[in-house]
């Protein structure tokens, strides 16, 4: 049994490469029947409206909703976050179909257009506690959504500070959450060399325990807290591919 990556459009190849870096087999998912052969699923970033149209064309929505309902781990990044939200605002005319399951409201283009994409250091105490490494994560936001509201059962894993043009103090907006079997990030961990989010996701499924145990000893980039992998290499403009 492998980890599936929805491969309709977007950064699915980058997620597959990130899984390989931690010793996990990932497979491309394009048909509903393929969901029967995977333990967990990643819905990547991309153009959410296009992904929704392709998913509808291939009649994937019923199968995706059933996959979430069964309690199998699902992780949505950027456009994948929009897919998993129960409610999305800021959509194009006519909106788009959602998979749902995550009790939150997402703003589709909260941070603006493509040219307003950015990177930010995000405090990630839960990730650091579970996976080790530095207390922050370098988030890559590309025409990114944001989470406006969450339900009582949703755990907030990361927020980013925003500064309004008014003279008000900085406020924060939620960019990573977990609810039961669902993980969602508004940014793109697959575009960095820091694989902790992928390792964290793998451990959400008991059936993946053997895989994560085998890969953790050989792929832990943060065993020495004074010599993180990304500090051993020159800074490189993202994205970074395998």
């Amino acid at each position: 049994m492998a980890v599936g990556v929805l491969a309709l459009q977007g950064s699915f190849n980058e997620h597959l490469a990130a899984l390989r870096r931690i010793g996990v087999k990932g497979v491309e998912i394009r048909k509903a029947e393929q969901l029967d052969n995977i333990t967990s699923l990643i819905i990547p970033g991309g153009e959410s409206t296009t992904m929704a149209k392709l998913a509808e064309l291939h009649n994937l929505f019923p199968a995706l909703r059933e996959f979430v309902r069964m309690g199998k781990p699902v992780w949505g990044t950027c456009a994948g976050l929009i897919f998993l939200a129960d409610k999305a605002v800021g959509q194009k005319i006519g909106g788009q179909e959602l998979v749902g399951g995550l009790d939150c409201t997402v703003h589709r283009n909260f941070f603006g257009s493509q040219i307003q994409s950015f990177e930010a250091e995000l405090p990630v105490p839960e990730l650091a506690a579970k996976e080790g490494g530095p207390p922050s994560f370098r988030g890559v936001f590309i025409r990114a959504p944001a989470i406006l509201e969450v339900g009582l059962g949703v755990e907030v894993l990361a927020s980013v500070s925003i500064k309004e043009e008014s003279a008000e103090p900085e406020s924060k907006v939620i960019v990573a959450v977990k609810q039961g079997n669902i993980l969602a990030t508004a940014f793109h961990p697959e575009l960095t060399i820091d694989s902790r989010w992928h390792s964290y996701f793998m451990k959400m499924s008991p059936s993946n325990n053997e895989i994560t145990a085998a890969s953790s000893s050989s792929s832990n980039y943060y065993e020495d807290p004074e010599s993180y992998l990304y500090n051993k290499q020159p800074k490189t403009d993202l994205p970074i591919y395998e």
Side-chain angles (χ1 to χ4, degrees):
M1 300 291 279
V3 178
V5 182
L6 192 64
L8 300 177
Q9 189 263 348
S11 59
F12 58 90
N13 278 323
E14 289 71 37
H15 274 292
L16 292 168
L19 290 171
R20 286 197 296 271
R21 287 198 296 272
I22 63 170
V24 174
K25 179 184 178 182
V27 295
E28 298 178 9
I29 301 296
R30 294 188 175 88
K31 297 179 180 179
E33 56 267 29
Q34 292 176 297
L35 294 171
D36 295 333
N37 301 317
I38 58 175
T39 59
S40 48
L41 176 69
I42 297 174
I43 303 178
E47 211 295 312
S48 61
T49 304
T50 300
M51 289 175 64
K53 289 180 179 179
L54 290 171
E56 187 175 3
L57 178 66
H58 293 282
N59 196 32
L60 272 165
F61 277 106
L64 289 170
R65 293 190 184 107
E66 178 63 13
F67 193 92
V68 172
R69 190 194 65 78
M70 290 173 61
K72 294 185 178 182
V74 182
W75 175 18
T77 63
C78 197
L81 160 62
I82 299 171
F83 258 49
L84 292 173
D86 282 342
K87 182 180 179 182
V89 298
Q91 299 197 63
K92 296 179 179 178
I93 296 175
Q96 69 180 67
E97 194 168 356
L98 302 174
V99 173
L102 179 59
D103 186 10
C104 72
T105 299
V106 170
H107 191 295
R108 185 175 176 272
N109 284 127
F110 182 87
F111 294 104
S113 64
Q114 191 82 9
I115 61 173
Q116 292 169 303
S117 301
F118 66 97
E119 299 172 19
E121 289 293 328
L122 309 173
V124 286
E126 168 71 6
L127 184 69
K130 294 290 179 64
E131 301 300 325
S136 64
F137 182 89
R138 189 183 181 192
V140 181
F141 294 83
I142 303 176
R143 198 182 178 191
I147 301 168
L148 304 181
E149 298 177 345
V150 297
L152 294 177
V154 179
E155 179 184 1
V156 176
L157 301 180
S159 300
V160 66
S161 297
I162 55 173
K163 177 66 176 178
E164 303 291 346
E165 292 185 1
S166 62
E168 297 297 325
E170 283 188 346
S171 58
K172 291 185 177 181
V173 64
I174 301 168
V175 292
V177 295
K178 178 184 176 184
Q179 180 188 358
N181 60 306
I182 300 176
L183 177 67
T185 56
F187 47 93
H188 289 263
E190 76 281 7
L191 298 185
T192 78
I193 57 174
D194 187 338
S195 298
R196 287 180 295 166
W197 283 103
H198 288 81
S199 180
Y200 181 86
F201 175 64
M202 289 301 303
K203 293 171 184 174
M204 288 174 57
S205 172
S207 61
N208 289 330
N209 284 343
E210 292 183 6
I211 299 175
T212 53
S215 65
S216 60
S217 60
S218 61
S219 302
N220 186 355
Y221 295 149
Y222 301 105
E223 290 180 353
D224 180 359
E226 299 300 323
S227 58
Y228 306 134
L229 176 64
Y230 69 86
N231 284 333
K232 292 180 181 178
Q233 300 182 2
K235 292 291 184 181
T236 307
D237 289 338
L238 297 178
I240 300 171
Y241 305 111
E242 184 178 64

